[in-house]
Structure formats: structure tokens, C-alpha cells
Amino acid sequence: CIITTFLLIFIIIISLRIFIFVNLPTNESTLNSNVLFNFNLAQFQNEQNNKNNNNNNNNQLNLNLNLSIAIITLYDNETKLPDGIGGRYLDIRDISLYNKRKYSQRNNYPFFIDLHMWKDKDRPVAWSKLLAIRERLKQFDWVLWLDMDTLIMNMNIRLESLIDNNYDFIVTKDANGLNSGVMLFKSSKWSIDFLYDCYQQDQFLAQKDIYEQRSIQHMLKTKYLSTDRVKYLPQSSMNSYTRYHVRKRHHIYTAGDFIVHMAGCRFIPECKKKSFQIYRTFFELSEKLNP
């Protein structure tokens, strides 16, 4: 009787786990259906259109369209790192670049894939984003950095609506603090110096988890403690997470959000196993919301 009860409880727990987390599309026909994440596609489209209309009413008249803005990303197709910007992104590379290029072309932003140009072979590839951003700032007024595991979900949002020329660095925080997967930098001496100093923090090279992010956080708590050059936006503005790989204490993507980011997926076994499937699902949703 006790064994039967134990087995019954075990089966219930496993069933709930599967229902809560693994309720993902499992084949192409499901991915192409009009129901994603238990939401009706029409509802998603209506909510995104309403949010875009509100944004247009509030922001579009004040946009500075004379700014030169570039979008950059980076990946390494040679180094098969299990936990860096390297080999783990190869499976999503094509759809990630397609998504970013589509947004860039639609809004007339130069898009750069700095594959090897700024690569430091003595460091995990993630550190090279600091070099790439720093160099591109010599050519443009502002630079948007996007990790490869991000997706543009709302292509009607222009970067000018997020930019504030009173600041040099615009970024978001999640429940754990600053996240370096999506960042806006202004071309200024402060930004050039800040990125250089972050790159010099060799003490963080041995930490094989979030790499350069720890260096950025450290510099903002020490040499660059003054926050008058840094603007923190709400996470929903450009760095939403998916409900499949984070807890509710982070902001979870809702219709109309600008960017979705699978930050930390590699630290969650269930997400790591289904990372491509989750990413592909959001990619297809983006395609439907941005025809």
C-alpha cells in the first residue's frame, strides 16, 4: 500500500513537471499552427498592434532619425565551446542572423556580424563583444549589441525610441542584476574608456559562466560607480525572457515586447535539451507577427 501510494505521488509529480515545462511544439505541423504557447495568434497580433499604436502616439514624433546606429553580433564557427558564444550557437545561427538582418533592413540600420575581426583567441569568445562594440563606436553614433540567442519579436520598434543622448550606456537588469546580452552604447570617450577597462579585468577570465558580464558589473561598482552615464530600462523594453527557461521573478515575454533573450538557458537542463526547439518556436512567432 505504501509503495503504491509512493508510486502514485511520483507519477503525479512527473506528470505536472511535463505539463508545466515541456508543453512545447514537438513537430513542424504544431509549430506552424495558429496556436502557440496556449495563446491564439490573433490575440498576440492584436496585443502587439495595440502596443505599437501606443508607442507611435507617445514616441514617434520625438524620434531623432538623424542618428547613425549600427547593430552587431558575434559568433565563432570554429571553437566548439560548450558554454560560450562559440559552438553552442551554431544550431540557431542561421535563423538568428536572418531575424536580425530582417529587422536591420526593415529599419535601415547597418548590421555587422563581427565573426573573426575582433576575436581574441586567448579568451572565451564572449569577451570579444567588448572589442567589437568599442571599434564600431568609432563609426556610428550608437551601437546595439545583441547576443546570438536573442530574437527581435516586434520589428516596428525603432532603436531611436530607446536611445537617450543624456546617457552613454543603456541596458536592462533582470532579477540577478545587469544582463549584457542586449546593450546600447553611445559613441563617447566614456564608452570607449569603459569598454577598454572592462576588457582589462583578467581576474574574471577563470569564471566560466557569464564571462564579460561580471567584468561590466564589477566596473560599475568600482571605477565607474557614478550612474549618471548609465540608464537602466525596464527589462520588458528590450530584454524579455521566455517562460520556458526562467522563473517568474524575471520579466517574461508578452506580445508586443521588442526582444526575447534565452539568457541562462544552458544552466537549466530541461531548457538546454530543448533550446533549439524553444528558439525555433519564438522565431516562427516573430515571423507571424512581422510578415
Side-chain angles (χ1 to χ4, degrees), residues 103-148:
Y103 171 77
S104 300
Q105 292 175 347
R106 182 171 293 193
N107 291 280
N108 296 315
Y109 300 128
F111 175 52
F112 297 97
I113 309 166
D114 285 331
L115 182 57
H116 294 297
M117 193 174 299
W118 317 118
K119 180 181 174 183
D120 185 339
K121 295 182 179 180
D122 296 326
R123 299 188 182 206
V125 186
W127 284 88
S128 294
K129 73 168 71 171
L130 302 176
L131 302 179
I133 296 169
R134 192 168 184 265
E135 289 302 315
R136 293 298 178 188
L137 285 176
K138 298 176 182 179
Q139 302 171 271
F140 299 94
D141 296 327
W142 283 83
V143 166
L144 172 69
W145 168 266
L146 293 174
D147 275 1
M148 280 289 288

Side-chain angles (χ1 to χ4, degrees), residues 17-26 244 270 274 277:
R17 183 186 179 93
I18 292 173
F19 176 78
I20 293 172
F21 184 85
V22 192
N23 186 25
L24 291 171
T26 57
Y244 298 106
E270 296 93 338
K274 293 182 176 290
Q277 191 176 8

Side-chain angles (χ1 to χ4, degrees), residues 240-277:
S240 304
Y241 296 166
T242 82
R243 66 183 175 93
Y244 298 106
H245 80 279
V246 295
R247 298 174 181 174
K248 291 183 178 179
R249 59 199 182 101
H250 301 282
H251 173 76
I252 305 302
Y253 168 79
T254 58
D257 284 358
F258 183 26
I259 297 171
V260 71
H261 181 200
M262 290 181 60
C265 180
R266 66 188 185 278
F267 300 122
I268 304 171
E270 296 93 338
C271 184
K272 189 174 182 179
K273 291 177 183 177
K274 293 182 176 290
S275 59
F276 176 77
Q277 191 176 8

Side-chain angles (χ1 to χ4, degrees), residues 40-78:
N40 185 277
L41 178 61
Q43 179 183 347
F44 261 69
Q45 291 171 327
N46 288 334
E47 291 178 3
Q48 177 156 303
N49 289 338
N50 289 336
K51 185 172 290 188
N52 287 337
N53 290 334
N54 291 333
N55 289 338
N56 289 338
N57 292 334
N58 296 330
N59 298 323
Q60 293 295 331
L61 295 178
N62 299 317
L63 293 185
N64 182 357
L65 299 178
N66 295 319
L67 294 173
S68 61
I69 307 171
I71 300 173
I72 63 174
T73 191
L74 175 73
Y75 75 95
D76 181 8
N77 62 0
E78 294 180 354

Side-chain angles (χ1 to χ4, degrees), residues 195-217:
L195 290 164
Y196 175 84
D197 288 338
C198 287
Y199 196 79
Q200 303 309 309
Q201 306 309 303
D202 297 345
Q203 69 270 29
F204 297 108
L205 289 176
Q207 299 186 14
K208 300 182 182 300
D209 48 10
I210 50 179
Y211 301 113
E212 85 302 332
Q213 183 169 297
R214 289 197 183 278
S215 176
I216 293 173
Q217 293 170 337

